[in-house]
Amino acid sequence: AKNEKFSASNGVVFLALFSFAVSGFISLAYEVLWTRLLTPSVGTYIYAFFGILGVYLLGIALGSIIYRFFIDKLGYPLLIFAFIELGIGITAVLSVVVNSAYSNFNTPLKVLLTIFPGTLLMGMSFPVVAKIFQGRERIGKSIGFAYSANTLGTIAGSLAAAFVLIPIFGTVKSIFVLSLVNFTLCILLAIGEKKISNLARWIVVLFGLVLLVGTIGTFSKSPLDFQEAKLKKRIASLGERYEISFFEDEVASVLGYRQKEGGDRALIIDGVQTTSLGPETSLLAHLPLFMHPDPKKMLVIAFGMGTTFRSALLHDGLRVDAVELVPSVPKMMRLFHDDALASFS
């Protein structure tokens, strides 16, 4: 009987460790995605990033305090962990709604509502995992191992969000993907909690499955349906008179549009209009070349609408290279110049 109890305990510990590692992965991935989600509202200033990070850390700190004083004595740690994951998934989905055209919050409140509820729950994760290890031999080593697994998960999560999730799914759908993982962890943890009745366990599992299926249903929508409110309203105001393209990569989200019968064109990176068509960007190519006695090569830094790059190509025998930090920006050139394909040939 003693061995059977030990095996069951090991199963619970393994489930907790696995969930805690995955939770770390999700938590840091959310931070990257929330920062991208909030960029059109807060701007690309370094102070805006520190503000987002401050709210993130404050939520985690307060979450651990709340657990210590109000939740620690409840028991059923696996079930509590399941509800924490369920809550994180729900708040993640709601963070998309908070930043979409479906809501209208001022910027400070938007930052708070996007980050704080989820991080408050994230802060409860470590105390509840430590609770699971209580009563085991070498508890310090076990908790240290759990924290190591969580740390490795956070490192992998930050990298995966920037270089895997965003390029494949985009910011909004990446948040939905991670929320699906939260709901899955909730289901696994609820099934693993043997101290509650079967009815209570399956109610939690059913609720998790409903949210899982409901979130999957959002994948049929275009990423533009959940874009930041100002950007969404701007797109809506353009109507059918405009051709619109939207791309998102590991660096930024890029919106470009042009009037089908007119000269109105714009390039918007992370919600900020960056440039416009005009003679100035052509002169950026022509003037340096006219002053050089025998130009052979030219480097254009910041591709923009491609006007400077295109203008430089008008000079025979000149090799022109361009450097652009946002991979999706050159794809927009076709909106601004009809001969874009010839420029790249």
Side-chain angles (χ1 to χ4, degrees):
K2 184 176 181 180
N3 290 335
E4 290 178 1
K5 183 178 180 182
F6 182 77
S7 298
S9 179
N10 276 347
V12 168
V13 168
F14 177 80
L15 178 59
L17 283 175
F18 171 78
S19 300
F20 195 42
V22 175
S23 180
F25 178 96
I26 296 170
S27 298
L28 258 290
Y30 276 140
E31 183 185 7
V32 173
L33 296 170
W34 283 334
T35 301
R36 170 69 71 86
L37 194 65
L38 288 163
T39 296
S41 298
V42 301
T44 55
Y45 308 105
I46 188 67
Y47 304 106
F49 172 74
F50 281 120
I52 291 172
L53 181 61
V55 175
Y56 186 92
L57 295 176
L58 177 64
I60 289 176
L62 289 179
S64 62
I65 293 172
I66 290 172
Y67 180 88
R68 170 68 179 84
F69 287 100
F70 300 102
I71 304 175
D72 187 42
K73 298 178 182 179
L74 295 179
Y76 307 110
L78 273 186
L79 184 63
I80 293 173
F81 200 180
F83 279 119
I84 289 172
E85 293 300 324
L86 185 72
I88 293 172
I90 292 172
T91 57
V93 172
L94 292 177
S95 72
V96 173
V97 178
V98 167
N99 286 274
S100 72
Y102 300 109
S103 60
N104 187 24
F105 300 104
N106 59 49
T107 298
L109 184 58
K110 185 181 292 185
V111 172
L112 191 67
L113 291 176
T114 299
I115 300 173
F116 190 72
T119 54
L120 198 69
L121 292 165
M122 292 175 193
M124 300 178 187
S125 299
F126 183 70
V128 78
V129 170
K131 182 81 171 181
I132 293 170
F133 284 103
Q134 282 188 4
R136 289 180 59 84
E137 296 180 0
R138 306 180 73 178
I139 182 173
K141 181 179 180 180
S142 298
I143 292 178
F145 184 75
Y147 196 71
S148 299
N150 181 263
T151 301
L152 291 174
T154 59
I155 296 171
S158 60
L159 294 173
F163 299 110
V164 179
L165 292 175
I166 291 176
I168 294 176
F169 299 107
T171 302
V172 170
K173 289 189 177 180
S174 292
I175 291 174
F176 291 152
V177 167
L178 293 179
S179 70
L180 294 178
V181 181
N182 285 124
F183 298 144
T184 302
L185 287 179
C186 167
I187 292 169
L188 293 176
L189 290 164
I191 292 173
E193 179 59 88
K194 304 300 183 183
K195 297 180 181 179
I196 59 174
S197 67
N198 288 333
L199 178 61
R201 181 183 304 112
W202 289 112
I203 288 175
V204 177
V205 169
L206 181 61
F207 190 45
L209 285 172
V210 169
L211 291 172
L212 199 69
V213 173
T215 305
I216 291 173
T218 62
F219 280 79
S220 62
K221 291 184 173 292
S222 165
L224 287 175
D225 290 338
F226 292 100
Q227 279 305 303
E228 192 268 340
K230 294 179 183 177
L231 193 60
K232 178 72 174 178
K233 290 176 181 177
R234 186 168 188 170
I235 294 170
S237 68
L238 300 176
E240 296 182 356
R241 298 176 294 113
Y242 286 79
E243 182 181 353
I244 300 170
S245 288
F246 178 81
F247 294 103
E248 194 170 15
D249 53 49
E250 63 271 21
V251 179
S253 59
V254 183
L255 174 72
Y257 64 78
R258 70 172 177 181
Q259 194 174 17
K260 294 178 180 178
E261 297 180 2
D264 185 15
R265 305 181 184 194
L267 177 67
I268 301 170
I269 301 176
D270 280 338
V272 179
Q273 186 166 340
T274 58
T275 185
S276 59
L277 287 176
E280 299 87 353
T281 48
S282 294
L283 290 173
L284 287 174
H286 296 313
L287 288 179
L289 291 171
F290 287 146
M291 290 187 290
H292 197 288
D294 187 23
K296 301 294 184 184
K297 296 186 292 184
M298 186 175 190
L299 177 65
V300 178
I301 299 176
F303 192 84
M305 290 182 169
T307 306
T308 305
F309 176 75
R310 175 177 173 273
S311 298
L313 291 174
L314 297 176
H315 296 258
D316 293 334
L318 184 71
R319 174 181 170 179
V320 185
D321 295 311
V323 176
E324 173 56 55
L325 292 176
V326 184
S328 296
V329 166
K331 299 176 184 178
M332 294 292 183
M333 186 180 177
R334 65 173 186 82
L335 286 175
F336 314 120
H337 302 285
D338 294 330
D339 58 352
L341 291 177
S343 298
F344 284 110
S345 61

